[in-house]
Amino acid sequence: RKEVEQDPGPFNVPEGATVAFNCTYSNSASQSFFWYRQDCRKEPKLLMSVYSSGNEDGRFTAQLNRASQYISLLIRDSKLSDSATYLCVVLTGGGNKLTFGTGTQLKVEL
Amino acid sequence: EAGVTQSPTHLIKTRGQQATLRCSPISGHTSVYWYQQALGLGLQFLLWYDEGEERNRGNFPPRFSGRQFPNYSSELNVNALELEDSALYLCASSPVEGPRNTEAFFGQGTRLTVV
């Protein structure tokens, strides 16, 4: 089983749609969780950290379920500029290793 | 403020050769991470350096090695190159020991092609 698993997509959605991505992780001792965004042929950039209480940043909402070991990202009112690959990232202690999922590709269309 | 810089941006080598990739972290960042992103695959953790020491290593063979210099810049060396080593190699830096709740900033990567 992979340490971090994501549906690779692609998710093709119309502009204005709401889209949700899920990610599961295998190490129950994982400490911190993030969503990164990677545009085509560019480096990944932090989108948001994920907290146990859930957190929101504008149109983006991230949630963490430790019991079920999954993380979610909800994008509301999607824009063309949201088209990218979204990477689920988990920090595992005892080495502070950031483990990346393979990413979920989102394509927002007119 | 300059971001994480990597050089070269592109590198073409033949099978069996050695490749050296370089990374300069953001000023003040002491931790440097190396990742491999092969086509169609996610980012695979290679190495983590902090304060000149190797702190953690991913599941890669010993021909992948590196070091961190006193100015916190880092080198990744890949010996005996194989075709499967063709990938985008990304370097990231963070300001504290380990990227706990802090952001890891990535460079634009070195695209290594082995022919």
Side-chain angles (χ1 to χ4, degrees):
Chain A
R1 183 184 172 187
K2 288 182 181 178
E3 291 184 73
V4 179
E5 292 202 67
Q6 294 181 251
D7 181 343
F11 283 56
N12 298 318
V13 302
E15 207 174 11
T18 296
V19 60
F21 306 137
N22 289 325
C23 164
T24 58
Y25 60 95
S26 61
N27 189 334
S28 59
S30 298
Q31 301 173 313
S32 301
F33 309 89
F34 310 89
W35 283 101
Y36 274 70
R37 169 188 169 137
Q38 186 173 24
D39 292 290
C40 188
R41 304 184 75 82
K42 299 275 193 177
E43 73 276 19
K45 293 185 179 179
L46 179 68
L47 179 65
M48 57 198 305
S49 301
V50 187
Y51 304 116
S52 296
S53 54
N55 47 303
E56 188 174 308
D57 182 2
R59 298 182 292 109
F60 298 83
T61 301
Q63 299 225 310
L64 166 65
N65 185 320
R66 284 190 184 270
S68 302
Q69 293 181 208
Y70 81 78
I71 308 144
S72 64
L73 177 68
L74 183 77
I75 305 175
R76 291 181 298 279
D77 188 25
S78 53
K79 313 288 184 192
L80 294 174
S81 57
D82 294 334
S83 297
T85 297
Y86 291 83
L87 300 163
C88 174
V89 185
V90 174
L91 174 67
T92 305
N96 287 326
K97 185 177 76 171
L98 274 180
T99 302
F100 286 76
T102 52
T104 299
Q105 189 179 12
L106 171 66
K107 294 181 181 178
V108 181
E109 302 164 332
L110 286 171
Chain B
E1 180 185 330
V4 177
T5 57
Q6 291 187 244
S7 63
T9 52
H10 293 82
L11 188 58
I12 300 175
K13 293 283 186 178
T14 56
R15 199 167 45 180
Q17 283 189 311
Q18 180 201 40
T20 298
L21 288 62
R22 296 179 177 82
C23 172
S24 293
I26 290 172
S27 177
H29 289 192
T30 61
S31 280
V32 170
Y33 308 84
W34 287 96
Y35 290 85
Q36 182 196 65
Q37 188 173 34
L39 193 62
L41 298 178
L43 274 77
Q44 305 293 317
F45 171 74
L46 271 163
L47 291 158
W48 169 37
Y49 291 95
D50 185 70
E51 296 286 358
E53 300 282 333
E54 183 181 301
R55 302 295 187 181
N56 200 352
R57 183 183 178 82
N59 189 24
F60 280 83
R63 58 191 186 81
F64 287 84
S65 64
R67 54 181 172 166
Q68 186 178 35
F69 299 99
N71 66 355
Y72 303 118
S73 67
S74 177
E75 268 183 8
L76 174 68
N77 295 295
V78 188
N79 294 320
L81 285 165
E82 300 178 1
L83 296 178
E84 305 78 60
D85 298 332
S86 296
L88 179 67
Y89 289 83
L90 289 160
C91 170
S93 75
S94 72
V96 295
E97 184 178 312
R100 296 187 179 278
N101 281 311
T102 64
E103 181 174 354
F105 295 82
F106 282 84
Q108 292 189 315
T110 293
R111 188 163 296 281
L112 172 65
T113 303
V114 183
V115 298

